[in-house]
C-alpha cells in the first residue's frame, strides 16, 4: 500500500512534517513534538502504516509513561483504525515491560523472582522504621515521602558508590537509610517498582537468550513522552533496540517535568551521539 492510498483509506489529514514522521519506519528516529502538534496522531498513524507495510501488529511495542497514557493511546488507535487491530497491539509502560522480562527470567531459569512491594503504605512504614532507628526519632510524613522520592531518583539515575553520598534529603542522612532499605528488601525477598527496572536491566545484560527473545518479539519499538524517560529506562531501551535499531521516540526536552524522579531529557539532546545513524525530525 502506498502512503497516498493509506491516507485515503483512513481519511488522514496530515501536514508535511507529520507525513514525514509517519513514513519514518526504520532505524532510530527522534520526533521532537511540542504540545498541540499532533504527536499522538502521528504515533498511532505511524503504527498503522507499519502494519500496512506488512509488519505484524504483535511485533510492535509502544511504551508510554503511565498506565492511563497506555490505555489512552490504545483508545486513540482504535478510534482511528479500529478495535480489531488495536487489540493485537501492545501499549505498555516501561515498568510493565520490565515486569514481563522478570517473568521470562522466572520461566526460563526456573527461579522465583522477588515479590513486588505494591503497597506504598508498607514501603512508607519500612522507611519510617529505618529513619527511627537511625535518628532515634519518628520521621514526619513529609520526610518519609522525600526519602521515597530520593530512592526512586537513585535507582532511576543508576547512582551507586561514592555518588550516593551526594544525594541529600533534608532532616535525615539519606545514604545509610537507602542502604538499609535495600538490605531489608533483599532479606525479605522483596522488590519495589523501581527495582523492576534494576532487575530487568540486570537480566537483559546477564541472560543473552532472554534479551534475544524480546529483541526478536519486538523489532519495532515506539516510545512516547521520551523526555520523561529515566537513565535506566533509556539503558533498557538501547538493549531492546540493539538488534533491529528500529526505535521511534517522541518527546520534547523542554517539556520534561519529572526531574525529581530522574527524568533524563539529556538522552534526547544526545540522540545523535547515541544513535549516529539516527534521524531527528
Amino acid at each position: 500500500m502506498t502512503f497516498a492510498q493509506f491516507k485515503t483509506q483512513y481519511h488522514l489529514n496530515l501536514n508535511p512534517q507529520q507525513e514525514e514522521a509517519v513514513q519514518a519506519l526504520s532505524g532510530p528516529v527522534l520526533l521532537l513534538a511540542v504540545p498541540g502538534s499532533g504527536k499522538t496522531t502521528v504515533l498511532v498513524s505511524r503504527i498503522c502504516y507499519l502494519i500496512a507495510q506488512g509488519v505484524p501488529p504483535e511485533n510492535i511495542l509502544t511504551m508510554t509513561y503511565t498506565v492511563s497514557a497506555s490505555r489512552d493511546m490504545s483508545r486513540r488507535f482504535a478510534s482511528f483504525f479500529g478495535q480489531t487491530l488495536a487489540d493485537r497491539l501492545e501499549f505498555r509502560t516501561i515498568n510493565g515491560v520490565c515486569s514481563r522480562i522478570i517473568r521470562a527470567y522466572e520461566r526460563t531459569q526456573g527461579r522465583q523472582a522477588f515479590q513486588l512491594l505494591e503497597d506504598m503504605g508498607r514501603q512508607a512504614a519500612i522507611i519510617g522504621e529505618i529513619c527511627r532507628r537511625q535518628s532515634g526519632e519518628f520521621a514526619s510524613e513529609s520526610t518519609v515521602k522525600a526519602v521515597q522520592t530520593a530512592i526512586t531518583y537513585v535507582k532511576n539515575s543508576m547512582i551507586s558508590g561514592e555518588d550516593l553520598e551526594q544525594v541529600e534529603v533534608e532532616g535525615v542522612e539519606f545514604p545509610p537509610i537507602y542502604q538499609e532499605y535495600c538490605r531489608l528488601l533483599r532479606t525479605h525477598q522483596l522488590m519495589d517498582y523501581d527495582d523492576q527496572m534494576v532487575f530487568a536491566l540486570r537480566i537483559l545484560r546477564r541472560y543473552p537468550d532472554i534479551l534475544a527473545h524480546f529483541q526478536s518479539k519486538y523489532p519495532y519499538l515506539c516510545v512516547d513522552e521520551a523526555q520523561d524517560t529515566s537513565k535506566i529506562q533509556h539503558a533498557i531501551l538501547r538493549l531492546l533496540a540493539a538488534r533491529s535499531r528500529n526505535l521511534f521516540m517522541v518527546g520534547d526536552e523542554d517539556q520534561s517535568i519529572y526531574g525529581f524522579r530522574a527524568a533524563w531529557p539529556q538522552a534526547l539532546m544526545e540522540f545523535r551521539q547515541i544513535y549516529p545513524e539516527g534521524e531527528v525530525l
Side-chain angles (χ1 to χ4, degrees), residues 5 22 31 38 40 53 55 63 118 127 130 141 158 167 185 190 208 248 255 266 279:
Q5 291 170 331
V22 171
L31 176 63
T40 303
Q53 299 306 301
V55 177
M63 288 164 279
E118 298 182 80
I127 293 170
I130 294 171
E141 183 178 345
M158 305 172 71
V167 181
L185 259 57
L190 295 170
F248 185 80
Q255 297 299 316
Q266 294 94 318
E279 185 176 8

Side-chain angles (χ1 to χ4, degrees), residues 19-36:
E19 289 189 359
E20 184 180 7
V22 171
Q23 294 177 85
L25 301 184
S26 61
V29 179
L30 170 61
L31 176 63
L32 298 176
V34 299

Side-chain angles (χ1 to χ4, degrees), residues 23-29 46 50 220 244-247 277 279:
Q23 294 177 85
L25 301 184
S26 61
V29 179
R46 180 182 176 276
L50 276 169
Y220 291 89
S244 70
R245 310 295 288 177
N246 296 323
L247 175 63
E277 80 279 28
E279 185 176 8

Side-chain angles (χ1 to χ4, degrees), residues 85-229:
L85 271 185
D87 289 342
R88 294 177 62 190
L89 289 162
E90 292 198 41
F91 298 91
R92 297 184 178 274
T93 63
I94 296 181
N95 260 78
V97 174
C98 289
S99 177
R100 297 191 67 187
I101 291 169
I102 293 170
R103 299 288 84 79
Y105 164 80
E106 290 181 316
R107 290 194 306 271
T108 60
Q109 303 304 310
R111 300 179 65 181
Q112 183 69 41
F114 288 176
Q115 181 181 355
L116 181 62
L117 179 60
E118 298 182 80
D119 186 347
M120 298 302 290
R122 185 181 177 192
Q123 185 198 43
I126 291 171
I127 293 170
E129 177 59 21
I130 294 171
C131 291
R132 186 191 65 78
R133 291 177 187 173
Q134 294 278 359
S135 66
E137 300 178 355
F138 288 99
S140 66
E141 183 178 345
S142 61
T143 296
V144 171
K145 287 184 177 179
V147 171
Q148 286 177 307
T149 299
I151 290 171
T152 290
Y153 179 83
V154 166
K155 293 182 179 181
N156 276 268
S157 298
M158 305 172 71
I159 294 173
S160 61
E162 294 181 359
D163 292 336
L164 187 62
E165 300 297 325
Q166 307 304 314
V167 181
E168 298 180 352
V169 174
E170 186 177 355
V172 296
E173 191 175 351
F174 175 74
I177 291 173
Y178 175 77
Q179 291 163 346
E180 177 63 9
Y181 170 79
C182 292
R183 188 194 68 79
L184 278 175
L185 259 57
R186 287 194 303 271
T187 299
H188 293 91
Q189 297 188 321
L190 295 170
M191 62 177 170
D192 60 25
Y193 281 104
D194 301 304
D195 282 328
Q196 284 188 311
M197 293 178 290
V198 173
F199 292 148
L201 179 59
R202 193 176 301 167
I203 289 166
L204 293 178
R205 286 174 170 172
R206 292 183 180 179
Y207 298 90
D209 55 331
I210 297 178
L211 173 59
H213 166 75
F214 281 91
Q215 289 175 332
S216 176
K217 183 174 177 61
Y218 303 116
Y220 291 89
L221 304 171
C222 308
V223 182
D224 191 23
E225 304 292 358
Q227 76 278 355
D228 293 324
T229 303

